[in-house]
Amino acid sequence: MVRRVAVIGAGASGLVATKCCLDEGLEPTCFERSEDIGGLWRFADNADCRRVSVYRSVISNTSKEMSCFSDFPFPEDFPSFLSHSLFLEYFRMYAQHFQLLRHIRFKTTVISVRKRPDFATSGQWDVITETEGIQESHIFDAVMVCAGNFQKPHLPLASFPGIETRFRGQYFHSLEYKDAAAFQGKRVLVVGIGNTACDIAVDMSHVAAKVFLSARSSTWVFSRVANHGFPWDMLTTTRFNHFLEWLLPSAIMKRIKIWKMNSWFNHEIYGLASAKSSNFNFIINEDLPFCMLSGTIVLKSNVKEFTETSAVFEDGTTEENIDVVIFATGYKFSFSFLEESICNPLKNNRTLYKCVFPPQLERPTLAIIGLIQLTGAVMVGAEIQARWVTGVFAGGRGTAGIGEVLGREDRSTCCSCYTSEIASCAGVKPSVLRLLLTDPWLALAVFFGPCTSYQYRLMGRGQWSGARAAILTQWQRVLKPLRTRVLEDSASSRSWRWLGLLALPTALVVGFLLSKYPKLGWAPRAGLMF
């Protein structure tokens, strides 16, 4: 029986892990090496502060309703997509509401986490911390590592001949980028085609003389603003959509997705991706196509080499007078405080059972929280992980299978599918069929509406009495910050009511089909339905 739990890190994952420990009656101690909560979302304009943080202009890629913790909605007056300051304000409200700060030890660095000699029977850990130069030893029954993905920058300079030996300009990792002010009038090359690379390129395009964006692979571009002006993730991440993905052949679904992407702008014309692209990587950036259309950003192929002042690309072209090169090439796994027998296998996350538990341990008392790359909000995935883990710690619930390695695990996955899978392990996944019989309107919202985290508070341990109301009012919280100038015409609201009426018979048909699956012997794919 676990009692004392060490939580490493007080960012989004660490805060929710601490709260979940308290929910299960455990005694958490959260160690945070900096002086405040917030982790990545606490902006620091000093790149030398030894702490990874977002850049000044960052706006969240996922909407507030799809990003919030399951029993604590964002304030209704917050916009749908948030700046780092609003995210940090939300974390402060969360910590205050659940009285988490008393369990956090700030300016305390975890030096080492080692198994105790009797670990095979006790499952306990020796944890050494350091505060203001003074080291202290602790014994904990369990450890939750919540240090996140962004630890050590990946800077593959060896893959870019000439950057260290010949290039005379400035180069650095995107970790050091804070704002665009220092790049006024410069010619900048950004290496990478992920969300960070494109955000930085767009940010600098307003002040730089020219920005070049070097892409090694294809990518599709989403806009945060979807049909009728609603947040993209609230329209796409639904159980109904995942039901269609299960029902239709993958080739048809791929064609539908490509058609949807190209209905905004033709990605092949812009050189970003084509229907023949082997992958379906995508980024969120509604400004990128306009910047390319206006010439402030120029898309280039992969860099072959650097000369004193220029970049030579694999397609044979050259761009002269490059002043600055920014490598948005991601991060490497780095949990130096863990012993090598645990840390080395973790470098390949496929060794983690459901991206959480190292299966080689005799006792499941070490969990990695938030080491996942989801298409949605990582903090939602981290919360459901923490709820499952603390349930395992408190009473061994959901431990079946932890001793095995699932080769199909991957850190990059569908957010709602993954959270649904972990919710099943935790025993908190909602039953749409049961809701259809007991609360039809709620069932409609759960099945056809956005798959928000509130759904995992409807049943099972940790039920929240406000979950139903949060689900039924989630669209009101989306619209609230837009109601600064209300028009008299209410035709749109009437159309939504008619849509609700039409959805009821559809849900009944779907429920009937679902009830027939076992008799027909159909084996549904891993997803959201059951």
Side-chain angles (χ1 to χ4, degrees), residues 79 112 167 186 221 228 308-309 341 359 411 415 465 470 480 528:
S112 70
F167 185 63
K186 295 184 180 296
V221 183
H228 306 289
E308 288 81 0
T309 60
S341 62
R411 281 184 293 173
C415 180
S465 60
K480 172 66 175 179
L528 300 175

Side-chain angles (χ1 to χ4, degrees), residues 206 264 270 285-297:
H206 302 297
W264 179 29
Y270 283 67
N285 198 308
E286 56 278 344
D287 296 319
L288 180 62
F290 173 73
C291 289
M292 294 175 64
L293 199 61
S294 62
T296 55
I297 293 179

Side-chain angles (χ1 to χ4, degrees), residues 12-289:
S13 299
L15 290 176
V16 75
T18 302
K19 191 259 185 185
C20 289
C21 284
L22 296 173
D23 288 346
E24 291 287 352
L26 306 177
E27 300 173 5
T29 301
C30 180
F31 299 105
E32 169 56 44
R33 67 179 181 177
S34 70
E35 70 281 359
D36 202 356
I37 64 173
L40 179 73
W41 286 98
R42 182 160 59 86
F43 172 73
D45 56 9
N46 181 7
D48 299 324
C49 69
R50 293 177 56 246
R51 183 177 64 83
V52 178
S53 76
V54 294
Y55 35 93
R56 190 185 305 275
S57 64
V58 72
I59 298 293
S60 63
N61 287 334
T62 54
S63 64
K64 66 177 183 179
E65 291 300 307
M66 300 297 290
S67 303
C68 68
F69 295 128
S70 58
D71 55 356
F72 197 76
F74 277 93
E76 64 176 8
D77 59 339
F78 275 33
S80 286
F81 294 99
L82 305 161
S83 65
H84 57 79
S85 60
L86 289 178
F87 250 114
L88 183 58
E89 182 179 347
Y90 173 75
F91 292 144
R92 295 196 193 284
M93 296 165 60
Y94 183 78
Q96 181 179 5
H97 181 79
F98 294 108
Q99 301 180 1
L100 304 181
L101 294 181
R102 67 178 66 177
H103 302 281
I104 303 175
R105 292 183 55 177
F106 293 105
K107 297 183 179 180
T108 301
T109 301
V110 175
I111 303 299
S112 70
V113 175
R114 299 288 184 270
K115 291 186 288 187
R116 287 185 59 76
D118 62 346
F119 178 82
T121 56
S122 70
Q124 291 182 324
W125 299 86
D126 286 320
V127 178
I128 298 177
T129 61
E130 182 176 306
T131 306
E132 297 181 348
I134 300 175
Q135 290 194 355
E136 185 178 357
S137 181
H138 317 261
I139 298 176
F140 285 98
D141 299 316
V143 176
M144 300 176 74
V145 180
C146 306
N149 279 312
F150 305 98
Q151 292 294 311
K152 186 177 180 180
H154 176 54
L155 195 59
L157 299 180
S159 301
F160 300 92
I163 187 66
E164 296 180 277
T165 58
R166 296 195 297 269
F167 185 63
R168 297 176 182 174
Q170 179 186 11
Y171 66 89
F172 56 87
H173 190 270
S174 58
L175 162 67
E176 301 180 43
Y177 179 82
K178 297 303 175 183
D179 57 45
F183 304 96
Q184 181 77 40
K186 295 184 180 296
R187 290 169 61 85
V188 183
L189 170 63
V190 179
V191 178
I193 194 64
N195 281 305
T196 298
C198 294
D199 279 355
I200 290 175
V202 168
D203 195 31
M204 289 192 301
S205 69
H206 302 297
V207 299
K210 183 74 73 173
V211 177
F212 302 96
L213 186 62
S214 173
R216 184 176 59 181
S217 59
S218 298
T219 191
W220 300 88
V221 183
F222 268 98
S223 171
R224 293 177 181 87
V225 185
N227 296 345
H228 306 289
F230 292 109
W232 72 276
D233 49 358
M234 294 189 72
L235 295 184
T236 59
T237 311
T238 70
R239 295 176 185 273
F240 176 68
N241 285 345
H242 284 283
F243 173 73
L244 291 181
E245 289 189 16
W246 172 83
L247 189 64
L248 298 176
S250 57
I252 293 179
M253 285 306 305
K254 181 179 179 181
R255 293 186 65 177
I256 292 174
K257 290 178 180 179
I258 291 175
W259 171 81
K260 181 66 176 176
M261 294 294 96
N262 283 332
S263 65
W264 179 29
F265 71 94
N266 191 316
H267 286 64
E268 187 170 1
I269 291 176
Y270 283 67
L272 288 164
S274 72
K276 297 180 181 179
S277 299
S278 58
N279 57 41
F280 201 80
N281 298 328
F282 72 91
I283 62 169
I284 309 296
N285 198 308
E286 56 278 344
D287 296 319
L288 180 62

